[in-house]
Structure formats: C-alpha cells, structure tokens
Amino acid sequence: MADAAALRSRNAAFWTGAAAGWIRHADRQDEIGRPLGAPAMDRLAARPAERILDVGCGCGGTTAELAAAVGETGAAVGVDITEAMVTAARQRFPTDRYPGIRFRAADIDTLDVVPGAPFDAAFSRMTLMLLADPVAGCTTIRRSLRPGGRLAATVFRDGSVNPWMFAPMLGAAPYLGSLPPLPVGDEPGPFSFADPARLARVLTVAGFTAVTITPCDVTMNAPDDADAVAEWLIEVGPAGAAYRAAPLTEQASARAGAVRLLDRFREPGAGYRLPAGLWLITAVAARTDKPSAVARPPAIHHRQPREDDNR
Ligand SMILES: C[S@@+](CC[C@H](N)C(=O)[O-])C[C@H]1O[C@@H](n2cnc3c(N)ncnc32)[C@H](O)[C@@H]1O
C-alpha cells in the first residue's frame, strides 16, 4: 500500500483530472444519483436554522438540498478538495438564491476544523471511502461538529452489490490510454469500506460514538438513452480523464463498449435500472476529545432500515 503522502497526492490528482466530467454531468449526477444520498439525507433530517457541513460536496447539489432545508437562518457549507468543482458549485447555487450556502475548496484530511465550525450536523454522499487518510478526514469532521452533533453519510458496500460500476470502465478501457492505478488493500477507492468493521473502527478512532452501519439497497433510474448513460458513467468513473483525452473515434468506441456491458441493466423503452448497495452510516460527535472510555460500541446491522426506525 502506498504511503499517506503518495495517496494524498494521487487522490488530489485523480479528482483534478475527473473534475471536467463531473461538472459536465452535474445535473444528471444530481438527478439520477439522488438515491445514493437519499437514505442519509432522510436520516439527517436537517431542520430550519441548523448549520450543516457537506463533505465532498462535488458540484454542490446535496449542499443546495441542505441549504433549502435549513433556510435563511441556517447554513450549509460544502467542502471539496477539487477547486474546479467548488467553482462550479458556486455558479450553480449562488448565494442570492441560496442565502445560507457556502463552498470551500479544501482537503478534509488536512484541515484542523472546517471554517464555519461548529456545525450541528454533517452529511456526506459517496466520499468517505475515497479519503486518502480516512481517520484524519473523519477526525476533522468530528472536530467540526459541536459535541453531540450528528453525522449521516453513505458509502458503497462491495462490488457484488454494485455490479453496474464495472461496466463503463471495462467496456471503455480497451479504447483509452492509461487508467489510474487500481486501489489495493485499504487504499481509497469505491469499495475501501466494504468491510463494515473497518468503517466502524475508523469512525470510533476519529471520535464518533453511537455509530450505526446499516445496509441499504437503492436503484438509480436512468433514461433509455444508451449513449448518454454510457458517457455519463464513463466520465464520472476512473476512465473519465482518459476518455476526455482520447480522439473522438476512440471515444465513440469506448461508449459503444460501455453500452454493450450496460445492456443487462437496460429495460428497453423504460431505461436503465442500476442497483447500488450502500452502507448508511449514522454517528454522533463524542462530547469529549478522549471518547474511547465512554463510547457506545458500533452497531453493524444486517438488514435495511425500516420507515419507523426514525421514531
Ligand atoms: C464520488 S464524488 C461524490 C461527490 C458528491 N458528494 C456526489 O455525490 O455527487 C467524491 C467527491 O469527494 C471529493 N474528495 C475526495 N477526496 C477529498 C478530500 N480529501 N477532501 C475533500 N473532498 C474530497 C472529490 O473531489 C469528489 O467531488
């Protein structure tokens, strides 16, 4: 496994390269990708006047959702390592339409606290498993919360419950230049938190208590537009930068390759049904900086949450 500094610079370089694709598909990502964050958004239940942190906010869609929930008297602060995405987020969701919204470009792993702290709650969609140093990043999140502040986040489980994710990369790769290195061991990547025990350890060491980790199966519904769906999934995945650098003929072949492998997820005339297996994480910032003696042990669940779990 690469050392922390190498992972951090690899992470920053990857997201800088990926930014153009994420910006280009930001609306599609917000709409089709909404189920990936919805369980955590529901569980967080942001209230008017609260101050909420959105970690790895990308192009800002979830931060805007949080800003709408907390209203004019609250605050929603999106943090993302990728300057270009933060710029796009500011353009998409300006403060004259979203009064409490702010975006900051920063590496959550290396901040002491997020400017604007303390927050009442933190949200994160599909980012924690990508942090180069997840203990450091989650410690920043915990320090940025007021004691007792709550965290709700989603991450992917493993590849077997997210089969669609391999299709765009495997289909496109033969036509593209070199791709980023595949993660090994605990290196950041979509499935680095496949093991819930590791995830629980990271959150506990970072100073969270009342940790719950619950499987959640959702479906992303994409329109029946094979070329557009293939391009979106290639561009927001590991092959995105290589795809954009490729000549148009190679891009077309890459899309055709992805379309072929995505076909098993297509219902003709209805669209694509992309099943995603998530961990829904909830936790509370400990009231002391030395939580281990008082922390409640993490609860790793083996069934999906029910509607009445919130009551
Ligand atoms: C998979 S994307 C998810 C973006 C957004 N949450 C969404 O669901 O559309 C992961 C995001 O995390 C950001 N990211 C990765 N490492 C980060 C770090 N160390 N600090 C802050 N943001 C980071 C990336 O720039 C990227 O926008």
Side-chain angles (χ1 to χ4, degrees), residues 11 15 22 29-30 55-58 62 79-82 85 106-109 125-127 130-132:
N11 188 37
W15 286 105
W22 279 78
Q29 179 69 19
D30 283 348
V55 178
C57 63
T62 50
V79 175
D80 200 283
I81 197 171
T82 311
M85 290 204 219
D107 181 345
I108 197 80
D109 291 359
R125 180 173 82 180
M126 299 298 139
T127 294
L130 303 170
L131 301 181

Side-chain angles (χ1 to χ4, degrees), residues 69-301:
V70 299
E72 280 185 18
T73 53
V77 176
V79 175
D80 200 283
I81 197 171
T82 311
E83 190 88 47
M85 290 204 219
V86 168
T87 302
R90 288 191 182 118
Q91 286 163 356
R92 298 177 76 217
F93 305 107
T95 48
D96 55 350
R97 283 198 284 128
Y98 296 83
I101 210 164
R102 298 287 180 275
F103 293 102
R104 296 194 181 273
D107 181 345
I108 197 80
D109 291 359
T110 57
L111 283 178
D112 181 25
V113 291
V114 175
F119 295 93
D120 298 301
F123 169 87
S124 184
R125 180 173 82 180
M126 299 298 139
T127 294
L128 300 183
M129 70 282 185
L130 303 170
L131 301 181
D133 185 345
V135 168
C138 290
T139 302
T140 304
I141 298 169
R142 195 264 304 156
R143 277 196 300 252
S144 302
L145 289 168
R146 65 170 170 74
R150 58 205 197 278
L151 168 70
T154 49
V155 296
F156 287 118
R157 296 203 320 268
D158 60 50
S160 69
V161 287
N162 292 285
W164 58 274
M165 210 185 284
F166 301 99
M169 185 171 73
L170 290 176
Y175 309 99
L176 303 178
S178 67
L179 301 181
L182 292 173
V184 293
D186 288 344
E187 288 181 358
F191 308 127
S192 75
F193 278 152
D195 175 6
R198 173 171 188 247
L199 177 51
R201 261 194 316 276
V202 166
L203 292 165
T204 305
V205 173
F208 282 98
T209 185
V211 174
T212 71
I213 299 172
T214 309
C216 219
D217 294 318
V218 299
T219 303
M220 289 187 287
N221 295 309
D224 197 14
D225 182 344
D227 212 47
V229 169
E231 184 162 71
W232 162 54
L233 290 174
I234 294 169
E235 288 210 62
V236 298
Y243 173 81
R244 278 184 306 283
L248 290 180
T249 49
E250 305 299 304
Q251 288 189 353
S253 301
R255 284 198 304 279
V259 165
R260 275 194 297 279
L261 294 186
L262 283 165
D263 194 55
R264 61 174 288 210
F265 303 104
R266 179 172 173 243
E267 288 174 21
Y272 288 81
R273 306 276 173 262
L274 307 170
L278 317 176
W279 291 124
L280 167 62
I281 302 158
T282 65
V284 172
R287 291 180 185 278
T288 157
D289 228 24
K290 297 194 181 62
S292 51
V294 292
R296 268 198 269 148
I300 298 171
H301 298 297

Side-chain angles (χ1 to χ4, degrees), residues 38-62:
M41 198 57 92
D42 291 350
R43 197 50 79 93
L44 195 76
R47 297 183 286 266
E50 282 195 314
R51 303 179 57 74
I52 316 270
L53 171 63
D54 183 3
V55 178
C57 63
C59 298
T62 50

